[in-house]
Amino acid sequence: MINIFWLLIIVVLVAMTVWYFKGGGSTQPTGGLRQPTLFTLRLGDVVQYDNIDWIIEDKLTYNQDGWEWVEYLLQDGDRIAFLSVDDDDTLDVSFTEVVKDCPVDNPPAEQITYAERQYKKEESGTAQLKRTRKPNSPAETCQYYDYSGPGEAVLSVESWGGEIEVSVGQTVRPYQLTFLPGDGESVY
């Protein structure tokens, strides 16, 4: 009976030691490292998606009549992409890459065909944009047009004073993304 008692004491002590050295149930990151989330990303952080490390080069905050959403400007070498985060009644997250081979009218049509996929306009409007990298610059105005395609496919058209930018991608689930802290500096 005494042997079982001591065996139980040893098992409990080992379990408590393991628990303590694994963080003791703390939700704080170990080593003092900041752990970015979808809502706390900043310049220089890394977004891993589809086996590519994208660096956040700017945070763009759009405002349309008081409603705000965020797009992170991402870069991997010469490739430019956007991670769009809209936390309305539901969390909408999309990942799109800028494309140069999708000519559109200004304003764009109700439907756009790109890469043999048909996209239908879901939403459009005018928004003011503030860039984190240029905090003292006046807000920029853009016309935006959001399209949905087959499955999770999305297409975005933005008009900046007549200059058109088109990006294509898909909606993503937050668990498909991994975030790593950066040093708060631009890489490119």
Side-chain angles (χ1 to χ4, degrees):
M1 183 72 160
I2 290 179
N3 288 339
I4 293 174
F5 173 75
W6 287 113
L7 181 61
L8 286 172
I9 293 294
I10 291 171
V11 168
V12 168
L13 287 174
V14 168
M16 288 177 62
T17 302
V18 169
W19 175 76
Y20 177 79
F21 284 106
K22 288 202 173 229
S26 171
T27 58
Q28 296 297 318
T30 58
L33 287 179
R34 177 181 66 83
Q35 181 56 52
T37 69
L38 195 57
F39 301 102
T40 63
L41 291 166
R42 62 185 188 195
L43 188 68
D45 285 349
V46 178
V47 176
Q48 294 178 326
Y49 175 66
D50 205 20
N51 296 318
I52 298 175
D53 290 349
W54 296 89
I55 308 299
I56 295 180
E57 288 297 314
D58 207 352
K59 178 180 177 182
L60 315 174
T61 303
Y62 291 79
N63 185 315
Q64 181 184 18
D65 300 325
W67 175 249
E68 290 190 346
W69 67 97
V70 171
E71 285 188 1
Y72 297 100
L73 173 64
L74 309 175
Q75 190 165 352
D76 176 54
D78 292 335
R79 296 170 65 187
I80 302 293
F82 295 96
L83 179 63
S84 179
V85 181
D86 186 0
D87 192 10
D88 194 357
D89 294 333
T90 61
L91 178 61
D92 296 318
V93 181
S94 64
F95 184 92
T96 60
E97 281 192 68
V98 174
V99 296
K100 302 288 186 192
D101 61 344
C102 182
V104 295
D105 296 327
N106 191 8
E110 292 294 314
Q111 292 189 2
I112 295 175
T113 301
Y114 177 74
E116 299 181 14
R117 289 183 168 179
Q118 188 76 28
Y119 295 86
K120 180 181 175 188
K121 185 164 63 173
E122 297 291 330
E123 182 179 12
S124 64
T126 302
Q128 300 296 309
L129 169 96
K130 287 293 285 181
R131 298 176 184 271
T132 298
R133 283 184 69 176
K134 298 179 182 178
N136 297 325
S137 296
E140 301 171 54
T141 301
C142 99
Q143 295 286 126
Y144 70 90
Y145 307 86
D146 292 334
Y147 294 77
S148 63
E152 301 291 316
V154 294
L155 183 142
S156 174
V157 177
E158 292 184 354
S159 175
W160 300 91
E163 184 178 326
I164 300 290
E165 179 180 81
V166 179
S167 57
V168 177
Q170 63 186 21
T171 58
V172 296
R173 307 293 179 264
Y175 67 81
Q176 295 174 286
L177 306 165
T178 302
F179 308 117
L180 303 172
D183 60 5
E185 300 293 325
S186 173
V187 174
Y188 294 98

